[in-house]
Amino acid sequence: MSPAVFRLAACLQRRRAAATAWLWSRPSYCSTDSDSSNAKTEKPKTPKIYTKTGDKGFSSTFTGERRRKDDDVFEALGNTDELTSAIGLAVEFSLDQGHEFEAELCKVQCVLQDIGSNIATPISSARESHLKRTAFSEKPVIELEKWIDRYTEHLPPLTNFILPSGGKCSATLHLARSICRRAERSMVCIVRAGEADLNAARYLNRLSDYLFTLARYAAMKEGKKEQIYKRTNED
């Protein structure tokens, strides 16, 4: 290699090394730790849980209709949501005791979400596509009736009024039952007005019976005593 060519190669090598050092010294545009406001790749923003759209006392249905938060639709939705939470607590107590009906309760929670969708879709403002997505059939009602009959076969006949008792799982199921009754009552005016499916209200009616039956079954399986109602003004 001639001296001229050698000097040119050495010069190019020094320039490449200098260029490489300069690039590595610059802020990385792909780094998630970069403070550069022009970064091409940024960490995805986490959406905020609050929207502020309900600050004035109104909320939206699935159809996009804005209604007051004290509307019958939102009252029924709130009661159904509260019921789902109470059942979730019952699930945890049932797991502690090793009961086999935990999967049924979890399925009930999913069905209650479907009922919430039906409630949140007032028929008067719904399009055909809305109604197809949120229609509630009779099938879940029939399934509940089968569950009730199966557990009833294992229970002694009911000869007295019983109080919510029989252990933590049983008492929590009674709590869910009473909330379910309220949820059903809050749906009556909506169904009567033709704004929700009758089968959704029928499901809540059967569900309270199922929860009552399951509460008794849980107490029996755990060997816990159910408290019997007694008149307090008797001598």
Side-chain angles (χ1 to χ4, degrees), residues 127-215:
R127 297 192 298 271
E128 187 65 27
S129 59
H130 291 140
L131 297 177
K132 287 182 179 180
R133 291 181 61 183
T134 61
F136 196 86
S137 71
E138 187 183 21
K139 185 178 178 180
V141 180
I142 297 174
E143 183 176 48
L144 272 184
E145 292 173 346
K146 292 179 180 179
W147 291 353
I148 294 169
D149 293 340
R150 187 178 74 244
Y151 287 116
T152 301
E153 291 177 356
H154 299 282
L155 293 173
L158 190 62
T159 57
N160 299 95
F161 288 111
I162 60 173
L163 304 176
S165 54
K168 293 180 180 179
C169 183
S170 178
T172 306
L173 287 166
H174 277 296
L175 174 63
R177 171 189 57 80
S178 62
I179 297 174
C180 186
R181 289 294 192 190
R182 171 155 45 89
E184 179 192 0
R185 291 193 301 271
S186 64
M187 277 206 68
V188 171
C189 58
I190 301 174
V191 173
R192 185 184 297 132
E195 293 283 53
D197 288 340
L198 174 61
N199 283 324
R202 291 180 63 211
Y203 183 87
L204 292 176
N205 179 272
R206 299 299 189 281
L207 180 57
S208 61
D209 293 333
Y210 167 75
L211 293 171
F212 177 79
T213 304
L214 202 60

Coordinates of all heavy atoms in Angstrom, one line a residue, residues 127-215:
R127 N -81.1 1.4 18.5 CA -81.1 0.9 17.1 C -81.2 -0.6 17.1 O -81.0 -1.3 18.1 CB -79.9 1.4 16.3 CG -79.8 2.9 16.2 CD -78.7 3.3 15.2 NE -77.4 2.9 15.6 CZ -76.6 3.6 16.3 NH1 -77.0 4.8 16.8 NH2 -75.4 3.1 16.6
E128 N -81.4 -1.2 15.9 CA -81.6 -2.6 15.8 C -80.2 -3.3 16.2 O -80.2 -4.4 16.8 CB -81.9 -3.0 14.4 CG -82.2 -4.5 14.2 CD -83.5 -4.9 14.9 OE1 -84.4 -4.1 15.2 OE2 -83.5 -6.1 15.3
S129 N -79.1 -2.7 15.8 CA -77.8 -3.2 16.2 C -77.6 -3.3 17.7 O -77.0 -4.2 18.3 CB -76.7 -2.4 15.5 OG -76.7 -1.1 16.0
H130 N -78.1 -2.3 18.4 CA -78.0 -2.2 19.9 C -78.8 -3.4 20.5 O -78.4 -4.1 21.4 CB -78.6 -0.9 20.4 CG -77.7 0.3 20.1 ND1 -78.3 1.5 19.8 CD2 -76.4 0.4 20.1 CE1 -77.3 2.3 19.6 NE2 -76.1 1.7 19.8
L131 N -80.1 -3.6 20.0 CA -81.0 -4.6 20.5 C -80.4 -6.0 20.3 O -80.6 -6.9 21.2 CB -82.3 -4.4 19.9 CG -83.1 -3.1 20.1 CD1 -84.4 -3.1 19.4 CD2 -83.3 -2.9 21.6
K132 N -79.8 -6.2 19.2 CA -79.2 -7.6 18.9 C -78.1 -7.9 19.9 O -77.9 -9.0 20.3 CB -78.7 -7.6 17.5 CG -79.8 -7.7 16.4 CD -79.2 -7.8 15.0 CE -80.3 -8.0 14.0 NZ -79.8 -8.1 12.6
R133 N -77.3 -6.9 20.2 CA -76.1 -7.1 21.1 C -76.5 -7.2 22.6 O -75.8 -7.9 23.3 CB -75.2 -5.9 21.0 CG -74.4 -5.8 19.6 CD -73.5 -4.7 19.6 NE -72.4 -4.8 20.6 CZ -71.5 -3.9 20.8 NH1 -71.5 -2.8 20.1 NH2 -70.5 -4.1 21.7
T134 N -77.7 -6.7 23.0 CA -78.0 -6.7 24.4 C -79.3 -7.4 24.8 O -79.7 -7.4 25.9 CB -78.1 -5.2 24.9 OG1 -79.2 -4.6 24.2 CG2 -76.9 -4.4 24.6
A135 N -79.9 -8.1 23.8 CA -81.1 -8.9 24.1 C -80.8 -9.9 25.2 O -79.7 -10.5 25.2 CB -81.6 -9.5 22.8
F136 N -81.8 -10.2 26.0 CA -81.6 -11.2 27.1 C -82.7 -12.3 26.9 O -83.9 -12.0 27.0 CB -81.8 -10.5 28.5 CG -81.3 -11.3 29.6 CD1 -79.9 -11.2 30.0 CD2 -82.1 -12.1 30.3 CE1 -79.5 -12.0 31.0 CE2 -81.7 -12.9 31.4 CZ -80.3 -12.8 31.7
S137 N -82.2 -13.5 26.8 CA -83.1 -14.6 26.5 C -83.6 -15.3 27.8 O -83.2 -15.0 28.9 CB -82.4 -15.6 25.6 OG -81.4 -16.3 26.4
E138 N -84.4 -16.3 27.6 CA -85.0 -17.1 28.7 C -84.0 -18.2 29.2 O -84.2 -18.7 30.3 CB -86.3 -17.7 28.3 CG -87.0 -18.4 29.4 CD -88.3 -19.1 28.9 OE1 -88.4 -19.4 27.7 OE2 -89.2 -19.3 29.7
K139 N -83.0 -18.5 28.4 CA -82.1 -19.6 28.8 C -81.4 -19.5 30.1 O -81.4 -20.5 30.9 CB -81.0 -19.7 27.7 CG -80.1 -20.9 27.8 CD -79.1 -21.0 26.7 CE -78.1 -22.1 26.9 NZ -77.1 -22.2 25.8
P140 N -80.9 -18.3 30.5 CA -80.3 -18.3 31.9 C -81.3 -18.5 33.0 O -81.0 -19.0 34.1 CB -79.7 -16.8 31.9 CG -79.5 -16.4 30.5 CD -80.7 -17.1 29.8
V141 N -82.6 -18.1 32.8 CA -83.6 -18.3 33.8 C -83.9 -19.8 34.0 O -84.0 -20.2 35.1 CB -84.9 -17.6 33.3 CG1 -86.0 -17.8 34.4 CG2 -84.7 -16.1 33.1
I142 N -83.9 -20.5 32.9 CA -84.1 -22.0 33.0 C -83.0 -22.6 33.7 O -83.2 -23.6 34.5 CB -84.4 -22.5 31.6 CG1 -85.6 -21.9 31.0 CG2 -84.4 -24.1 31.7 CD1 -85.8 -22.4 29.5
E143 N -81.8 -22.2 33.4 CA -80.6 -22.8 34.1 C -80.6 -22.5 35.6 O -80.3 -23.5 36.4 CB -79.3 -22.1 33.5 CG -78.1 -22.7 34.1 CD -76.8 -22.2 33.4 OE1 -76.7 -20.9 33.3 OE2 -75.9 -22.9 33.1
L144 N -81.0 -21.4 36.0 CA -81.2 -21.1 37.5 C -82.2 -22.0 38.1 O -82.0 -22.5 39.2 CB -81.6 -19.6 37.7 CG -80.5 -18.6 37.8 CD1 -81.1 -17.2 38.1 CD2 -79.4 -19.0 38.9
E145 N -83.3 -22.3 37.5 CA -84.3 -23.1 38.0 C -83.8 -24.5 38.2 O -84.1 -25.2 39.2 CB -85.5 -23.1 37.1 CG -86.3 -21.8 37.1 CD -87.4 -21.7 36.0 OE1 -87.4 -22.6 35.2 OE2 -88.2 -20.8 36.1
K146 N -83.0 -25.0 37.3 CA -82.4 -26.3 37.4 C -81.4 -26.4 38.6 O -81.4 -27.4 39.4 CB -81.6 -26.7 36.1 CG -82.6 -27.0 34.9 CD -81.8 -27.3 33.7 CE -82.7 -27.6 32.5 NZ -82.0 -27.9 31.3
W147 N -80.6 -25.3 38.8 CA -79.7 -25.3 39.9 C -80.5 -25.3 41.3 O -80.1 -26.0 42.2 CB -78.9 -24.0 39.9 CG -77.9 -24.0 38.7 CD1 -77.6 -25.1 37.9 CD2 -77.0 -22.9 38.4 NE1 -76.6 -24.7 37.0 CE2 -76.2 -23.4 37.3 CE3 -76.9 -21.6 38.8 CZ2 -75.3 -22.5 36.6 CZ3 -75.9 -20.8 38.2 CH2 -75.1 -21.3 37.1
I148 N -81.6 -24.5 41.3 CA -82.4 -24.5 42.5 C -82.9 -25.9 42.9 O -82.9 -26.3 44.0 CB -83.5 -23.5 42.4 CG1 -83.0 -22.0 42.2 CG2 -84.5 -23.5 43.6 CD1 -84.0 -21.0 41.8
D149 N -83.5 -26.5 41.9 CA -84.1 -27.9 42.1 C -83.0 -28.9 42.6 O -83.3 -29.7 43.4 CB -84.7 -28.4 40.8 CG -85.9 -27.6 40.4 OD1 -86.5 -26.9 41.3 OD2 -86.3 -27.6 39.2
R150 N -81.8 -28.8 42.0 CA -80.7 -29.7 42.4 C -80.3 -29.5 43.9 O -80.2 -30.5 44.6 CB -79.5 -29.5 41.5 CG -78.4 -30.5 41.7 CD -77.3 -30.4 40.8 NE -76.4 -29.3 41.1 CZ -76.2 -28.2 40.4 NH1 -76.9 -28.1 39.2 NH2 -75.5 -27.2 40.8
Y151 N -80.2 -28.3 44.3 CA -79.8 -28.1 45.7 C -80.9 -28.4 46.7 O -80.7 -28.8 47.8 CB -79.3 -26.6 45.9 CG -77.9 -26.3 45.3 CD1 -77.8 -25.4 44.2 CD2 -76.8 -27.0 45.7 CE1 -76.5 -25.2 43.6 CE2 -75.5 -26.8 45.1 CZ -75.4 -25.9 44.1 OH -74.2 -25.6 43.5
T152 N -82.1 -28.1 46.2 CA -83.3 -28.3 47.1 C -83.4 -29.8 47.5 O -83.8 -30.1 48.6 CB -84.6 -27.8 46.4 OG1 -84.4 -26.4 46.1 CG2 -85.8 -28.0 47.3
E153 N -83.0 -30.7 46.6 CA -83.1 -32.1 46.8 C -82.2 -32.5 48.0 O -82.5 -33.6 48.7 CB -82.7 -32.9 45.6 CG -83.6 -32.8 44.4 CD -83.1 -33.5 43.2 OE1 -82.0 -34.0 43.2 OE2 -83.9 -33.6 42.2
H154 N -81.2 -31.8 48.3 CA -80.3 -32.1 49.4 C -80.7 -31.4 50.8 O -80.0 -31.7 51.8 CB -78.9 -31.7 49.1 CG -78.4 -32.4 47.8 ND1 -77.9 -33.7 47.9 CD2 -78.2 -32.0 46.6 CE1 -77.5 -34.1 46.6 NE2 -77.7 -33.1 45.8
L155 N -81.7 -30.6 50.7 CA -82.0 -29.8 51.9 C -83.2 -30.3 52.7 O -84.1 -30.9 52.0 CB -82.3 -28.3 51.5 CG -81.1 -27.5 51.0 CD1 -81.6 -26.2 50.5 CD2 -80.0 -27.3 52.1
P156 N -83.2 -30.2 54.0 CA -84.4 -30.6 54.7 C -85.6 -29.6 54.5 O -85.3 -28.5 54.1 CB -84.0 -30.5 56.2 CG -82.9 -29.5 56.2 CD -82.2 -29.7 54.9
P157 N -86.8 -30.0 54.6 CA -87.9 -29.1 54.4 C -87.9 -27.9 55.2 O -87.4 -28.0 56.4 CB -89.2 -30.0 54.7 CG -88.7 -31.4 54.6 CD -87.2 -31.4 55.0
L158 N -88.3 -26.8 54.7 CA -88.3 -25.5 55.4 C -89.6 -25.4 56.2 O -90.7 -25.3 55.6 CB -88.1 -24.4 54.5 CG -87.8 -23.0 55.1 CD1 -86.5 -23.0 55.9 CD2 -87.8 -21.9 54.0
T159 N -89.5 -25.4 57.5 CA -90.7 -25.4 58.4 C -90.8 -24.1 59.2 O -91.8 -23.9 59.9 CB -90.7 -26.6 59.3 OG1 -89.5 -26.6 60.1 CG2 -90.8 -27.9 58.6
N160 N -89.8 -23.3 59.2 CA -89.8 -22.0 59.9 C -89.1 -20.9 59.1 O -88.4 -21.2 58.1 CB -89.0 -22.2 61.2 CG -89.6 -23.2 62.2 OD1 -89.1 -24.3 62.2 ND2 -90.6 -22.8 63.0
F161 N -89.4 -19.7 59.5 CA -88.7 -18.6 58.9 C -87.3 -18.6 59.5 O -87.1 -18.7 60.7 CB -89.4 -17.2 59.2 CG -90.6 -17.0 58.4 CD1 -91.9 -17.0 59.1 CD2 -90.6 -16.8 57.1 CE1 -93.1 -16.8 58.4 CE2 -91.8 -16.6 56.4 CZ -93.0 -16.6 57.0
I162 N -86.3 -18.5 58.6 CA -84.9 -18.4 59.1 C -84.3 -17.0 58.9 O -84.7 -16.3 58.0 CB -84.0 -19.5 58.4 CG1 -84.0 -19.2 56.9 CG2 -84.5 -20.9 58.7 CD1 -83.0 -20.1 56.1
L163 N -83.4 -16.7 59.8 CA -82.7 -15.4 59.8 C -81.4 -15.6 59.0 O -80.8 -16.7 59.0 CB -82.5 -14.9 61.2 CG -83.7 -14.8 62.1 CD1 -83.3 -14.3 63.5 CD2 -84.7 -13.8 61.5
P164 N -80.9 -14.5 58.4 CA -79.6 -14.6 57.8 C -78.5 -15.0 58.8 O -78.2 -14.3 59.7 CB -79.3 -13.2 57.3 CG -80.7 -12.6 57.0 CD -81.5 -13.2 58.1
S165 N -78.0 -16.2 58.6 CA -77.1 -16.8 59.5 C -76.4 -18.0 58.9 O -76.4 -18.1 57.7 CB -77.8 -17.2 60.8 OG -78.9 -18.1 60.5
G166 N -75.9 -18.9 59.7 CA -75.3 -20.2 59.2 C -73.9 -20.1 58.7 O -73.5 -20.9 57.8
G167 N -73.1 -19.1 59.2 CA -71.7 -19.0 58.8 C -71.5 -17.8 57.9 O -72.5 -17.2 57.4
K168 N -70.3 -17.5 57.7 CA -70.0 -16.3 56.9 C -70.4 -16.4 55.4 O -71.0 -15.5 54.8 CB -68.5 -16.0 56.9 CG -67.9 -15.6 58.2 CD -66.4 -15.3 58.2 CE -65.9 -14.9 59.6 NZ -64.4 -14.7 59.5
C169 N -70.2 -17.6 54.8 CA -70.6 -17.8 53.4 C -72.1 -17.7 53.3 O -72.7 -17.0 52.4 CB -70.1 -19.1 52.9 SG -70.5 -19.4 51.2
S170 N -72.9 -18.4 54.2 CA -74.3 -18.4 54.1 C -74.9 -17.0 54.4 O -75.8 -16.5 53.6 CB -74.9 -19.3 55.2 OG -76.3 -19.3 55.2
A171 N -74.4 -16.3 55.4 CA -74.9 -14.9 55.7 C -74.6 -14.0 54.6 O -75.5 -13.1 54.2 CB -74.2 -14.4 57.0
T172 N -73.5 -14.1 53.9 CA -73.2 -13.2 52.7 C -74.1 -13.5 51.6 O -74.5 -12.6 50.8 CB -71.7 -13.4 52.3 OG1 -70.9 -13.2 53.4 CG2 -71.3 -12.4 51.2
L173 N -74.4 -14.8 51.4 CA -75.4 -15.1 50.3 C -76.8 -14.5 50.6 O -77.5 -14.1 49.7 CB -75.4 -16.7 50.2 CG -74.2 -17.3 49.5 CD1 -74.2 -18.8 49.7 CD2 -74.2 -17.0 48.0
H174 N -77.1 -14.5 51.9 CA -78.4 -13.9 52.3 C -78.3 -12.4 52.0 O -79.3 -11.8 51.5 CB -78.7 -14.1 53.8 CG -79.3 -15.4 54.1 ND1 -80.6 -15.8 53.6 CD2 -78.8 -16.5 54.8 CE1 -80.9 -17.0 54.0 NE2 -79.8 -17.5 54.7
L175 N -77.2 -11.8 52.3 CA -77.0 -10.3 51.9 C -77.2 -10.1 50.4 O -77.9 -9.2 50.0 CB -75.7 -9.9 52.4 CG -75.3 -8.4 52.0 CD1 -76.2 -7.4 52.7 CD2 -73.8 -8.1 52.4
A176 N -76.6 -10.9 49.6 CA -76.7 -10.8 48.2 C -78.2 -11.0 47.8 O -78.7 -10.4 46.9 CB -75.8 -11.8 47.5
R177 N -78.8 -12.0 48.4 CA -80.3 -12.2 48.1 C -81.1 -10.9 48.3 O -82.0 -10.6 47.5 CB -80.8 -13.3 49.0 CG -82.3 -13.5 48.9 CD -82.8 -14.5 50.0 NE -82.4 -14.2 51.3 CZ -83.1 -13.3 52.1 NH1 -84.1 -12.6 51.5 NH2 -82.7 -13.0 53.3
S178 N -80.9 -10.3 49.5 CA -81.7 -9.1 49.7 C -81.4 -7.9 48.8 O -82.3 -7.2 48.4 CB -81.5 -8.6 51.2 OG -80.1 -8.2 51.4
I179 N -80.1 -7.8 48.3 CA -79.8 -6.8 47.3 C -80.4 -7.2 46.0 O -80.9 -6.3 45.2 CB -78.3 -6.7 47.2 CG1 -77.7 -6.2 48.5 CG2 -77.9 -5.8 46.0 CD1 -76.1 -6.2 48.5
C180 N -80.5 -8.5 45.7 CA -81.1 -9.0 44.5 C -82.6 -8.6 44.4 O -83.1 -8.2 43.4 CB -80.9 -10.5 44.4 SG -81.5 -11.2 42.8
R181 N -83.3 -8.7 45.6 CA -84.7 -8.3 45.6 C -84.8 -6.8 45.3 O -85.8 -6.4 44.5 CB -85.2 -8.5 47.0 CG -85.4 -10.0 47.4 CD -86.5 -10.7 46.5 NE -86.9 -12.0 47.0 CZ -87.7 -12.8 46.4 NH1 -88.1 -12.5 45.2 NH2 -88.0 -14.0 46.9
R182 N -83.9 -6.0 45.8 CA -84.0 -4.6 45.5 C -83.7 -4.3 44.0 O -84.4 -3.5 43.3 CB -83.0 -3.8 46.3 CG -82.8 -2.3 45.9 CD -82.3 -1.5 47.1 NE -81.3 -2.1 47.9 CZ -80.0 -1.9 47.6 NH1 -79.6 -1.2 46.5 NH2 -79.0 -2.4 48.4
A183 N -82.7 -5.0 43.4 CA -82.4 -4.9 42.0 C -83.6 -5.3 41.2 O -83.9 -4.6 40.2 CB -81.2 -5.8 41.6
E184 N -84.3 -6.3 41.6 CA -85.5 -6.7 40.8 C -86.6 -5.6 40.9 O -87.3 -5.3 39.9 CB -86.1 -8.0 41.4 CG -87.3 -8.5 40.7 CD -88.0 -9.7 41.4 OE1 -87.5 -10.1 42.5 OE2 -89.1 -10.1 40.9
R185 N -86.8 -5.1 42.1 CA -87.9 -4.1 42.3 C -87.5 -2.8 41.4 O -88.4 -2.2 40.8 CB -88.0 -3.6 43.7 CG -88.6 -4.7 44.6 CD -88.9 -4.1 46.0 NE -87.8 -3.5 46.7 CZ -87.0 -4.2 47.5 NH1 -87.2 -5.5 47.7 NH2 -86.0 -3.6 48.1
S186 N -86.3 -2.5 41.3 CA -85.9 -1.3 40.5 C -86.1 -1.5 39.0 O -86.1 -0.6 38.3 CB -84.5 -0.9 40.8 OG -83.5 -1.9 40.4
M187 N -86.2 -2.8 38.6 CA -86.4 -3.1 37.2 C -87.8 -3.1 36.8 O -88.2 -3.0 35.6 CB -85.8 -4.4 36.8 CG -84.3 -4.4 36.5 SD -83.8 -5.8 35.4 CE -84.6 -5.3 33.9
V188 N -88.7 -3.1 37.7 CA -90.2 -3.3 37.4 C -90.7 -2.1 36.5 O -91.3 -2.3 35.5 CB -91.0 -3.3 38.7 CG1 -92.5 -3.3 38.4 CG2 -90.7 -4.6 39.5
C189 N -90.3 -0.9 36.9 CA -90.8 0.3 36.2 C -90.2 0.3 34.8 O -90.8 0.8 33.8 CB -90.6 1.6 36.9 SG -88.8 1.9 37.3
I190 N -89.0 -0.1 34.6 CA -88.3 -0.1 33.3 C -88.9 -1.1 32.4 O -89.2 -0.8 31.2 CB -86.8 -0.4 33.5 CG1 -86.1 0.6 34.4 CG2 -86.1 -0.4 32.1 CD1 -84.7 0.3 34.7
V191 N -89.2 -2.3 32.9 CA -89.8 -3.3 32.1 C -91.3 -2.9 31.7 O -91.7 -3.1 30.6 CB -89.8 -4.7 32.8 CG1 -90.7 -5.7 32.1 CG2 -88.4 -5.2 33.0
R192 N -92.0 -2.3 32.7 CA -93.4 -1.9 32.5 C -93.4 -0.8 31.4 O -94.4 -0.8 30.6 CB -94.0 -1.4 33.8 CG -95.4 -1.0 33.7 CD -96.0 -0.4 34.9 NE -95.9 -1.3 36.0 CZ -95.4 -1.1 37.2 NH1 -94.9 0.1 37.5 NH2 -95.4 -2.0 38.2
A193 N -92.4 0.0 31.4 CA -92.3 1.1 30.3 C -91.8 0.6 29.0 O -91.8 1.3 28.0 CB -91.4 2.2 30.8
G194 N -91.5 -0.7 28.9 CA -91.1 -1.3 27.7 C -89.6 -0.9 27.3 O -89.2 -1.0 26.1
E195 N -88.8 -0.6 28.3 CA -87.4 -0.2 28.1 C -86.4 -1.3 28.3 O -85.2 -1.1 28.0 CB -87.1 1.0 29.0 CG -87.9 2.3 28.6 CD -87.4 3.0 27.4 OE1 -87.2 2.4 26.4 OE2 -87.1 4.2 27.5
A196 N -86.8 -2.4 28.8 CA -85.9 -3.5 29.1 C -86.6 -4.8 28.9 O -87.9 -4.9 28.9 CB -85.3 -3.4 30.5
D197 N -85.9 -5.9 28.7 CA -86.5 -7.2 28.5 C -87.1 -7.8 29.7 O -86.4 -7.8 30.8 CB -85.4 -8.2 27.9 CG -85.0 -7.9 26.5 OD1 -85.8 -7.2 25.8 OD2 -83.9 -8.3 26.1
L198 N -88.2 -8.4 29.6 CA -88.9 -9.0 30.8 C -88.0 -10.2 31.3 O -88.0 -10.4 32.6 CB -90.2 -9.6 30.3 CG -91.0 -10.4 31.4 CD1 -91.3 -9.5 32.6 CD2 -92.3 -10.9 30.8
N199 N -87.3 -10.9 30.5 CA -86.5 -12.0 31.0 C -85.4 -11.6 31.9 O -85.0 -12.3 32.8 CB -85.9 -12.8 29.8 CG -86.9 -13.7 29.1 OD1 -87.7 -14.3 29.7 ND2 -86.8 -13.8 27.8
A200 N -84.9 -10.3 31.8 CA -83.9 -9.8 32.7 C -84.5 -9.7 34.1 O -83.8 -10.1 35.1 CB -83.4 -8.5 32.2
A201 N -85.7 -9.2 34.2 CA -86.3 -9.1 35.5 C -86.7 -10.5 36.1 O -86.6 -10.8 37.3 CB -87.6 -8.3 35.4
R202 N -87.1 -11.4 35.2 CA -87.4 -12.8 35.6 C -86.1 -13.5 36.2 O -86.2 -14.2 37.1 CB -87.9 -13.6 34.4 CG -89.3 -13.2 34.0 CD -89.7 -14.1 32.8 NE -89.9 -15.4 33.2 CZ -89.6 -16.5 32.4 NH1 -89.3 -16.3 31.1 NH2 -89.8 -17.7 32.8
Y203 N -85.0 -13.2 35.5 CA -83.7 -13.8 36.0 C -83.4 -13.3 37.5 O -83.0 -14.1 38.3 CB -82.6 -13.4 35.1 CG -81.3 -14.0 35.5 CD1 -80.9 -15.3 35.0 CD2 -80.4 -13.4 36.3 CE1 -79.7 -15.9 35.4 CE2 -79.2 -14.0 36.7 CZ -78.9 -15.2 36.3 OH -77.7 -15.8 36.6
L204 N -83.6 -12.0 37.7 CA -83.4 -11.5 39.1 C -84.3 -12.1 40.1 O -83.9 -12.4 41.2 CB -83.5 -10.0 39.1 CG -82.4 -9.2 38.3 CD1 -82.7 -7.7 38.3 CD2 -81.0 -9.5 38.9
N205 N -85.5 -12.4 39.7 CA -86.5 -13.0 40.5 C -86.0 -14.4 40.9 O -86.1 -14.8 42.1 CB -87.9 -13.1 39.9 CG -88.9 -13.7 40.7 OD1 -89.1 -15.0 40.7 ND2 -89.6 -13.0 41.5
R206 N -85.6 -15.2 39.9 CA -85.1 -16.6 40.2 C -83.8 -16.5 40.9 O -83.5 -17.4 41.8 CB -84.9 -17.3 38.9 CG -86.1 -17.5 38.0 CD -87.2 -18.3 38.7 NE -88.3 -18.6 37.8 CZ -89.2 -17.7 37.4 NH1 -89.2 -16.5 37.9 NH2 -90.1 -18.1 36.5
L207 N -83.0 -15.5 40.7 CA -81.7 -15.4 41.3 C -81.8 -15.3 42.8 O -81.0 -15.9 43.6 CB -80.9 -14.3 40.7 CG -79.5 -14.1 41.3 CD1 -78.6 -15.3 41.2 CD2 -78.8 -12.9 40.7
S208 N -82.8 -14.5 43.3 CA -83.0 -14.4 44.7 C -83.3 -15.7 45.4 O -82.9 -16.0 46.5 CB -84.0 -13.3 45.0 OG -85.3 -13.6 44.5
D209 N -84.1 -16.5 44.7 CA -84.5 -17.8 45.2 C -83.3 -18.7 45.2 O -83.1 -19.5 46.1 CB -85.6 -18.4 44.3 CG -86.9 -17.7 44.4 OD1 -87.1 -17.1 45.4 OD2 -87.7 -17.7 43.4
Y210 N -82.4 -18.6 44.1 CA -81.2 -19.4 44.1 C -80.3 -19.1 45.2 O -79.7 -20.0 45.9 CB -80.5 -19.2 42.7 CG -79.1 -19.7 42.6 CD1 -78.9 -21.1 42.5 CD2 -78.0 -18.8 42.7 CE1 -77.5 -21.6 42.4 CE2 -76.7 -19.3 42.6 CZ -76.5 -20.7 42.5 OH -75.2 -21.1 42.4
L211 N -80.1 -17.8 45.5 CA -79.2 -17.4 46.5 C -79.7 -17.8 47.9 O -78.9 -18.2 48.8 CB -79.0 -15.8 46.5 CG -78.3 -15.3 45.3 CD1 -78.4 -13.8 45.2 CD2 -76.8 -15.7 45.2
F212 N -81.0 -17.8 48.1 CA -81.6 -18.2 49.4 C -81.3 -19.7 49.5 O -80.9 -20.2 50.6 CB -83.1 -18.0 49.4 CG -83.8 -18.5 50.6 CD1 -83.8 -17.8 51.8 CD2 -84.5 -19.7 50.5 CE1 -84.4 -18.3 52.9 CE2 -85.2 -20.2 51.7 CZ -85.1 -19.5 52.9
T213 N -81.6 -20.5 48.5 CA -81.3 -21.9 48.5 C -79.9 -22.3 48.8 O -79.5 -23.1 49.5 CB -81.8 -22.6 47.2 OG1 -83.2 -22.3 47.0 CG2 -81.7 -24.1 47.3
L214 N -79.0 -21.5 48.1 CA -77.6 -21.7 48.2 C -77.1 -21.4 49.6 O -76.2 -22.0 50.1 CB -76.8 -20.9 47.2 CG -75.4 -21.4 46.8 CD1 -75.5 -22.8 46.2 CD2 -74.8 -20.5 45.8
A215 N -77.7 -20.4 50.2 CA -77.3 -20.0 51.6 C -77.6 -21.1 52.6 O -76.8 -21.5 53.4 CB -78.0 -18.7 52.0

